[in-house]
Amino acid sequence: MTAATHSPLFPQAPDSADAVLEGLDPEQREVATALRGPVCVLAGAGTGKTRAITHRIAYGVRAGILQPSSVLAVTFTNRAAGEMRGRLRQLGAHGVQARTFHSAALRQLQYFWPKAIGGSLPRLVDRKIQLVADAAVACRVRLDRGELRDVTAEIEWSKVTQTVPADYALAVGKAGREIPRDPAEIAQLYAAYEDLKRARAVIDFEDVLLLTVAVLQDRHDIAEQVRAQYQHFVVDEYQDVSPLQQRLLELWLGEREDLCVVGDASQTIYSFTGATPDHLLDFRTRHPGATVVKLVRDYRSTPQVVHLANGLLAQARGRAADHRLELVSQRAPGPEPAYAEYPDEPAEAEGAARRIRELLDAGVPAAEIAVLFRTNAQSETYEQALADLGVPYQLRGAERFFDRPEVRKARVALRGAARFGGNDTLLEDAVDLPSQVRAVLSGEGWTSQPPAGSGAVRERWESLAALVNLAQDFAGAQRGATLADLVAELDERASAQHAPTVQGVTLASLHSAKGLEWDVVFLVGVAEGMMPIAYARTDEQIEEERRLLYVGVTRARERLQVSWALARSPGGRPNRRPSRFLDGLRPGSGAATGRAGVGGAGGIERGFAGTTAHTPVVPRRTQRSPARCRVCGRTLTDAGEMKLMRCEDCPSDMDEGLYERLRDWRAVQARRSGQPAYCVFTDKTLMAIAEGVPEEEGELARIPGVGVRKLNRYGADVLAICAGQEATEGDAQG
């Protein structure tokens, strides 16, 4: 299990700002060098969005354009924020703040509370569910454990959508939410919950954002102080922002526009928490001068996996689907996705476990395999099936690695050995760093062989084994490293929540798998009633379930197995059918009925300087069928070949003289605009123009790589050159 892109474990920081840009593709480089004004990055799964935005920050810092202390990068999970901090550290961009919305807001609230309110900040409650239970008692309402969780979720949704108790019933009706109790009753519980918090002088997680917003709205002097501190903002996973988080971001920004947002509407899977892709999709309306960069080069998955992912979205409906990105794999071909049908759920789990055992025996690391399911309740069957075959596993979504008791104790033991190791008989025979770590951790329960079976003992061993493996990697990367050096590395990783890899098959829900990837992924339980889930009834809910399956598919790098069971229990009635989302995609299910023309290609769009907030830019919708070579008829998947509309090695009828004239003209335009030549038109687009020799705007617009903005800006010049005339003098109009 790794984060979204591969990188060496302990790389050396680039030696210059320009070196930061090495290895980026043209679109990623555009993100990294677009340091001023509003920037919107539409990044498909596996396209290196984290790489692009961390290199953007690092390039700005290393080039002296951005002050590290003036940059605030925000995301939604501690893991993602920790990964971002780790990458920035590797790139030599020290001092940049990378935090979750809540963490950044809490720091500000703690600092400004005495000045804005007086006294100390109220205590933050760890678990609000007990307060909800107390509120239910006060209202004389009986709630079982499941209803307690559901009501708590409704209170959280209300707060992030800035809905007060009196407006709850109206708000849920408007949102079309499925709710666990009568809306008036939930509103009563919500009001009682808020009263209890005030009486006990405590605040909850959502209050951190609400109170920060209130302070910044009411105290302009404090708002200006925050804006003086942070002048450049980067927001990751922007499709997941809630109305409350968006309001906080607007208050941080003030009237400025030094904002870069990154997201993918097709990965919006948290609407039940109040997240909405509308802020991402409306970004150009709110910031008409924004630069929009689309990342569609998929470096994660094979063409076979990408084809299935694109096929899923091709059948989608709704606003997010209208803005979908069609991925183009950059990897070598791999095996086709496999599909398996089982008589019941235990048989499905046993089948997956047997296949995983075969992969492990063939040399596939356990950490590179995942089993993904729709609900956490499905995990128990797979835990048992894997344990029966002696397959190590870990549950995703459990306690954070560095917060585990055995890891905390191990770090204390390693720190003690680093200080006083010369007097420790355990270390007498240890000749290098890895053997020292093994010797120390053997006193904490680590053994060279894993314990039999599963459960808590096995989980503790897996944690210690991860530290042993990390020590081996660290010693290999840092020659002469000492135990003290390793302790310092662990301290930095703990601060960044940059956990080492645990050697076990990952079991995870589809929601908790977001942002992760594995070589091999088993998507299980892909049947009607589970995918989409039975309670998804509206069109919007069904489409979110489709996006959830899309997220699952795009977690796989090389191999993907999709399975379903016809019955829940052995001997049960086999009345289930495969998910409707697989219709037209799995073998034997008929032809796909997608909207191939809706997908968005990659590239860069720049805002018009004269555009106002009242004249939003509407992206062009390109009607496309699968691209085929115009010479031999083969289906094209390579981005460059798709621009030429022919295979690279098929005969070309290009006008060489026209191509050279276009290149000379492009060089002049690039100098005038102060940008790389490929930002005007790529070589492949110029070749396509020189092969097609368009005579009018419609013909030019149909050439891949000529978007509506480039057509408006450069179309007259290009058509003039194609007609054998001179291009118009002066700057191109933009």
Side-chain angles (χ1 to χ4, degrees):
M1 176 184 68
T2 66
T5 51
H6 284 298
S7 62
L9 263 176
F10 305 99
Q12 298 296 317
D15 57 11
S16 67
D18 288 342
V20 172
L21 302 178
E22 292 177 3
L24 300 181
D25 68 30
E27 291 81 23
Q28 291 172 342
R29 182 179 287 254
E30 178 68 22
V31 174
T33 55
L35 296 173
R36 299 296 185 191
V39 178
C40 179
V41 184
L42 302 177
T47 58
K49 68 176 180 63
T50 306
R51 175 180 174 84
I53 59 175
T54 52
H55 281 68
R56 178 184 192 268
I57 295 170
Y59 175 72
V61 169
R62 299 290 297 275
I65 299 170
L66 303 178
Q67 291 298 315
S69 60
S70 73
V71 180
L72 179 59
V74 288
T75 186
F76 289 83
T77 66
N78 287 312
R79 181 195 58 78
E83 180 192 347
M84 197 177 293
R85 287 194 295 271
R87 291 201 189 195
L88 290 170
R89 177 162 61 97
Q90 292 169 358
L91 292 169
H94 301 280
V96 174
Q97 293 290 315
R99 298 186 172 277
T100 64
F101 271 99
H102 285 87
S103 173
L106 182 59
R107 280 171 63 91
Q108 293 175 18
L109 201 57
Q110 289 170 331
Y111 183 81
F112 290 112
W113 187 269
K115 178 179 179 180
I117 309 298
S120 58
L121 183 69
R123 180 175 63 87
L124 183 63
V125 294
D126 293 328
R127 295 176 68 250
K128 61 171 66 70
I129 199 163
Q130 184 57 54
L131 270 173
V132 176
D134 293 345
V137 171
C139 295
R140 298 183 179 180
V141 174
R142 296 188 64 180
L143 298 176
D144 61 28
R145 182 171 297 183
E147 289 173 320
L148 266 177
R149 286 197 302 268
D150 291 342
V151 171
T152 301
E154 284 305 299
I155 291 173
E156 291 172 349
W157 174 83
S158 300
K159 299 184 78 163
V160 299
T161 56
Q162 303 178 79
T163 302
V164 298
D167 296 337
Y168 172 79
L170 182 63
V172 293
K174 187 175 180 182
R177 287 177 68 82
E178 293 281 338
I179 57 177
R181 314 269 301 196
D182 180 77
E185 193 171 54
I186 295 178
Q188 180 190 15
L189 291 168
Y190 178 14
Y193 168 82
E194 292 296 313
D195 290 340
L196 274 177
K197 283 201 295 97
R198 283 190 290 271
R200 298 178 185 181
V202 296
I203 59 174
D204 63 22
F205 207 51
E206 290 71 38
D207 288 332
V208 171
L209 298 184
L210 284 163
L211 290 169
T212 306
V213 165
V215 168
L216 295 178
Q217 283 181 159
D218 295 344
R219 291 291 299 269
H220 297 291
D221 56 330
I222 292 177
E224 288 306 316
Q225 192 172 340
V226 171
R227 292 166 193 160
Q229 169 71 50
Y230 296 116
Q231 296 160 20
H232 304 275
F233 294 85
V234 177
V235 184
D236 193 13
E237 303 288 4
Y238 192 56
Q239 78 278 351
D240 291 333
V241 76
S242 70
L244 180 56
Q245 289 162 333
Q246 175 64 23
R247 180 60 187 140
L248 178 59
L249 179 62
E250 291 167 355
L251 288 166
W252 281 341
L253 276 167
E255 298 300 318
R256 300 164 303 172
E257 289 199 313
D258 277 327
L259 170 66
C260 174
V261 301
V262 190
D264 178 11
S266 296
Q267 295 188 68
T268 305
I269 58 173
Y270 299 111
S271 67
F272 59 90
T273 68
T276 170
D278 289 345
H279 303 296
L280 174 68
L281 299 178
D282 293 338
F283 192 83
R284 285 295 291 270
T285 302
R286 297 195 313 276
H287 303 278
T291 296
V292 176
V293 184
K294 296 179 181 179
L295 305 183
V296 297
R297 302 173 200 246
D298 188 317
Y299 298 96
R300 176 189 298 159
S301 304
T302 63
Q304 287 74 16
V305 173
V306 167
H307 178 72
L308 176 58
N310 286 338
L312 278 172
L313 292 189
Q315 302 179 49
R317 297 289 185 270
R319 193 176 182 213
D322 289 344
H323 292 80
R324 70 179 176 86
L325 299 169
E326 189 161 345
L327 301 176
V328 181
S329 175
Q330 307 297 301
R331 295 195 55 180
E336 291 289 340
Y339 299 87
E341 183 174 277
Y342 294 92
D344 52 64
E345 289 182 3
E348 184 181 7
E350 291 164 8
R354 283 195 303 271
R355 180 65 185 126
I356 290 170
R357 182 74 265 175
E358 292 170 1
L359 291 168
L360 296 180
D361 293 342
V364 178
E368 291 299 348
I369 303 174
V371 179
L372 306 182
F373 32 74
R374 176 61 179 85
T375 68
N376 287 318
Q378 294 169 270
S379 73
E380 185 176 356
T381 306
Y382 290 87
E383 291 178 59
Q384 187 61 55
L386 293 173
D388 288 346
L389 294 181
V391 175
Y393 66 87
Q394 59 167 331
L395 282 171
R396 180 74 194 167
E399 198 171 17
R400 291 191 297 183
F401 182 83
F402 286 104
D403 292 339
R404 298 174 187 174
E406 65 271 19
V407 174
R408 291 201 299 267
K409 287 182 63 180
R411 289 178 62 201
V412 170
L414 290 170
R415 184 173 288 105
R419 289 178 179 172
F420 310 112
N423 301 320
D424 193 335
T425 56
L426 271 176
L427 301 183
E428 286 180 356
D429 298 327
V431 296
D432 56 15
L433 177 60
S435 60
Q436 288 176 336
V437 172
R438 288 194 294 269
V440 173
L441 296 187
S442 65
E444 301 299 322
W446 178 82
T447 56
S448 58
Q449 294 297 320
S454 58
V457 173
R458 180 56 181 256
E459 289 178 9
R460 285 195 294 272
W461 184 90
E462 295 284 1
S463 298
L464 297 176
L467 293 174
V468 171
N469 293 334
L470 177 66
Q472 292 172 333
D473 293 332
F474 186 70
Q478 307 284 341
R479 298 298 178 187
T482 66
L483 202 51
D485 294 329
L486 177 65
V487 169
E489 174 68 21
L490 288 174
D491 288 344
E492 287 205 43
R493 282 173 167 260
S495 175
Q497 285 298 331
H498 183 189
T501 300
V502 176
Q503 290 301 319
V505 172
T506 299
L507 299 179
S509 71
L510 288 165
H511 282 101
S512 63
K514 179 134 183 325
L516 303 173
E517 61 181 59
W518 297 266
D519 284 346
V520 185
V521 168
F522 289 77
L523 288 175
V524 300
V526 188
E528 286 291 308
M530 192 60 74
M531 179 58 66
I533 199 79
Y535 54 74
R537 297 186 180 92
T538 67
D539 290 345
E540 291 82 3
Q541 291 167 339
I542 296 294
E543 288 306 317
E544 181 151 337
E545 293 288 298
R546 187 194 307 276
R547 295 194 295 270
L548 190 56
L549 183 58
Y550 170 80
V551 167
V553 168
T554 55
R555 300 311 95 195
R557 295 194 197 103
E558 297 172 5
R559 302 180 195 175
L560 178 68
Q561 177 167 310
V562 183
S563 64
W564 57 91
L566 298 178
R568 181 174 183 179
S569 305
R573 186 178 177 184
N575 57 358
R576 292 181 175 178
R577 60 175 295 267
S579 170
R580 71 191 76 172
F581 299 145
L582 300 178
D583 290 349
L585 299 175
R586 62 181 176 87
S589 61
T593 57
R595 298 180 300 161
V598 180
I604 301 157
E605 299 174 5
R606 301 186 191 281
F608 292 102
T611 308
T612 69
H614 302 292
T615 56
V617 178
V618 180
R620 173 176 65 111
R621 293 186 183 179
T622 309
Q623 296 299 317
R624 289 188 307 181
S625 56
R628 298 187 183 278
C629 174
R630 53 190 169 83
V631 180
C632 70
R634 183 178 68 85
T635 299
L636 303 175
T637 58
D638 177 77
E641 292 183 341
M642 290 168 70
K643 283 193 175 183
L644 292 175
M645 292 305 293
R646 64 171 174 81
C647 303
E648 193 78 55
D649 52 359
C650 278
S652 169
D653 53 357
M654 182 177 72
D655 184 330
E656 296 283 353
L658 174 57
Y659 178 66
E660 290 305 320
R661 290 195 300 277
L662 288 168
R663 281 176 58 88
D664 292 343
W665 165 83
R666 182 182 66 175
V668 173
Q669 296 301 320
R671 283 197 300 274
R672 286 176 177 168
S673 60
Q675 60 185 355
Y678 64 76
C679 290
V680 180
F681 285 119
T682 65
D683 287 345
K684 286 290 196 300
T685 298
L686 293 187
M687 291 173 68
I689 293 171
E691 289 182 352
V693 194
E695 296 181 355
E696 50 91 23
E697 279 195 356
E699 294 177 1
L700 180 59
R702 285 193 289 272
I703 294 177
V706 182
V708 64
R709 286 166 183 78
K710 290 188 179 182
L711 182 67
N712 291 338
R713 187 169 188 175
Y714 302 125
D717 279 5
V718 171
L719 291 173
I721 295 169
C722 289
Q725 304 166 5
E726 292 295 325
T728 58
E729 293 297 325
D731 290 339
Q733 296 302 306

